[in-house]
Amino acid sequence: MLQRVGRSFLAVALVVAAVAATLWPAETAGQDEAYRAPRLAGTDHPDLNGIWQAMGTAHWNVEDHSVDAGPFPRLLGTWGVQPAGRSVIVGRGRIPYQDWALEQRRENYETRLTMNPDELSTQGDPEAKCMMPGIPRATYLPFPFQIIQIPSKILVAYQFNVAKRTIHMENHLEAPIDFWMGWSNGHWEGDTLVVEVTGFNGLTWLDRSGNFHSAALRVVERITPMGPNHLMYEATLEDPDVYTEPWTIRMPLYRRIEENAQLLEFRCVDIVEEFIYGSLVKGAQP
């Protein structure tokens, strides 16, 4: 009996293997060929226009992380749970912090939802206070963003807090002042859009876990079409005041292909007023 079962199983396995071998060339044909994206009208550069979104947990923590109950488990239950996720950092998996910066990250995490109106811009997670997310964080927040492209400029509009930035493809200048979203100058290397972002104010974070940078941050983004509905996003972060060496994150971006895809309003200033200024109300609990 066991021998017959064994022979039957082997026969089925051989059939499955034969079918897979037949289908494999058809399924993989052309995958080694470089994808050539549609061209922007009047240019030889890829057309990146569309609504895109990252799918992952980097907005919680760009490094490896396990499930965490979140800051208010008794109040929110699973609503506040941080899901487990893999690092998006290329190679090393961890940020190469200087020794002092590791302690600062720990402090950031512990006080991420601490609110002191007198330290509004320097204490706690800027996202929680409805401040501009900065680069690269704006890219992997769990909200869509839209690329609007013409030959001389590329506008990137983010749903979160109606944030936006302009990538200057011509007449590159240094940042005239420091910005929450930095100052972006771009150029093409083949089909890859390369963007150098400088001029940061040093007040944004990289995620909800307290990973951070200083005003000396320099980000080099590389955005490459991988298929009709996929972009590969890379960002190399260099900050000699915080990191021991440059490091890179990488993740795919997905086109929102539903028929009515659009950016919806996400104005949050009025939502966070009590969170920011509630302690100033007479009789408020400390």
Side-chain angles (χ1 to χ4, degrees):
M1 178 65 177
L2 293 176
Q3 290 180 344
R4 288 198 299 272
V5 171
R7 286 196 296 270
S8 298
F9 179 81
L10 178 60
V12 171
L14 290 174
V15 171
V16 171
V19 172
T22 302
L23 295 176
W24 181 257
E27 293 177 347
T28 59
Q31 286 189 3
D32 292 334
E33 300 176 6
Y35 171 73
R36 179 174 171 81
R39 306 289 105 172
L40 182 69
T43 77
D44 192 39
H45 302 306
D47 185 345
L48 304 182
N49 282 291
I51 297 178
W52 306 88
Q53 187 168 349
M55 304 293 289
T57 61
H59 66 284
W60 290 97
N61 192 337
V62 296
E63 297 184 340
D64 283 332
H65 54 278
S66 59
V67 172
D68 184 86
F72 305 112
R74 293 183 62 184
L75 179 65
L76 298 177
T78 60
W79 278 19
V81 168
Q82 167 189 291
R86 301 299 303 271
S87 173
V88 295
I89 301 171
V90 177
R92 70 180 73 249
R94 301 190 69 82
I95 298 173
Y97 279 114
Q98 297 177 23
D99 291 342
W100 74 268
L102 284 171
E103 177 61 22
Q104 181 63 56
R105 178 179 65 173
R106 183 194 63 78
E107 182 179 334
N108 287 349
Y109 178 77
E110 292 179 352
T111 61
R112 63 195 185 281
L113 292 178
T114 299
M115 180 43 57
N116 181 351
D118 294 329
E119 301 290 342
L120 186 58
S121 297
T122 58
Q123 187 179 77
D125 184 356
E127 180 200 357
K129 296 174 287 187
C130 190
M131 295 176 173
M132 293 291 106
I135 303 298
R137 189 179 187 181
T139 303
Y140 48 82
L141 284 174
F143 308 101
F145 61 91
Q146 185 167 4
I147 296 177
I148 303 170
Q149 178 186 359
I150 63 174
S152 60
K153 297 180 186 296
I154 299 175
L155 173 68
V156 187
Y158 302 90
Q159 181 163 294
F160 178 79
N161 199 16
V162 201
K164 54 186 172 294
R165 63 166 168 153
T166 298
I167 301 173
H168 304 273
M169 303 300 293
E170 301 174 354
N171 303 319
H172 292 169
L173 301 172
E174 293 186 4
I177 59 173
D178 292 337
F179 297 92
W180 284 88
M181 300 295 287
W183 180 269
S184 300
N185 290 321
H187 67 275
W188 293 98
E189 294 182 4
D191 275 9
T192 297
L193 174 63
V194 181
V195 185
E196 180 179 2
V197 193
T198 56
F200 293 100
N201 61 14
L203 299 176
T204 60
W205 286 8
L206 302 177
D207 53 34
R208 294 182 179 181
S209 293
N211 287 306
F212 73 105
H213 61 85
S214 75
L217 177 68
R218 173 179 176 266
V219 179
V220 177
E221 302 172 289
R222 301 181 65 86
I223 304 172
T224 307
M226 301 298 293
N229 300 313
H230 299 85
L231 303 174
M232 183 57 68
Y233 178 81
E234 291 187 2
T236 298
L237 289 76
E238 179 180 351
D239 187 340
D241 292 346
V242 178
Y243 314 130
T244 60
E245 59 184 316
W247 54 284
T248 300
I249 62 173
R250 179 187 299 140
M251 67 191 69
L253 304 176
Y254 301 87
R255 186 189 297 274
R256 296 288 297 265
I257 61 173
E258 57 266 42
E259 184 177 351
N260 62 343
Q262 58 184 302
L263 297 191
L264 301 177
E265 186 175 89
F266 193 119
R267 297 185 184 275
C268 49
V269 173
D270 57 333
I271 297 174
V272 300
E273 284 183 348
E274 185 174 356
F275 174 65
I276 295 175
Y277 301 113
S279 62
L280 302 180
V281 177
K282 185 176 180 180
Q285 294 295 320

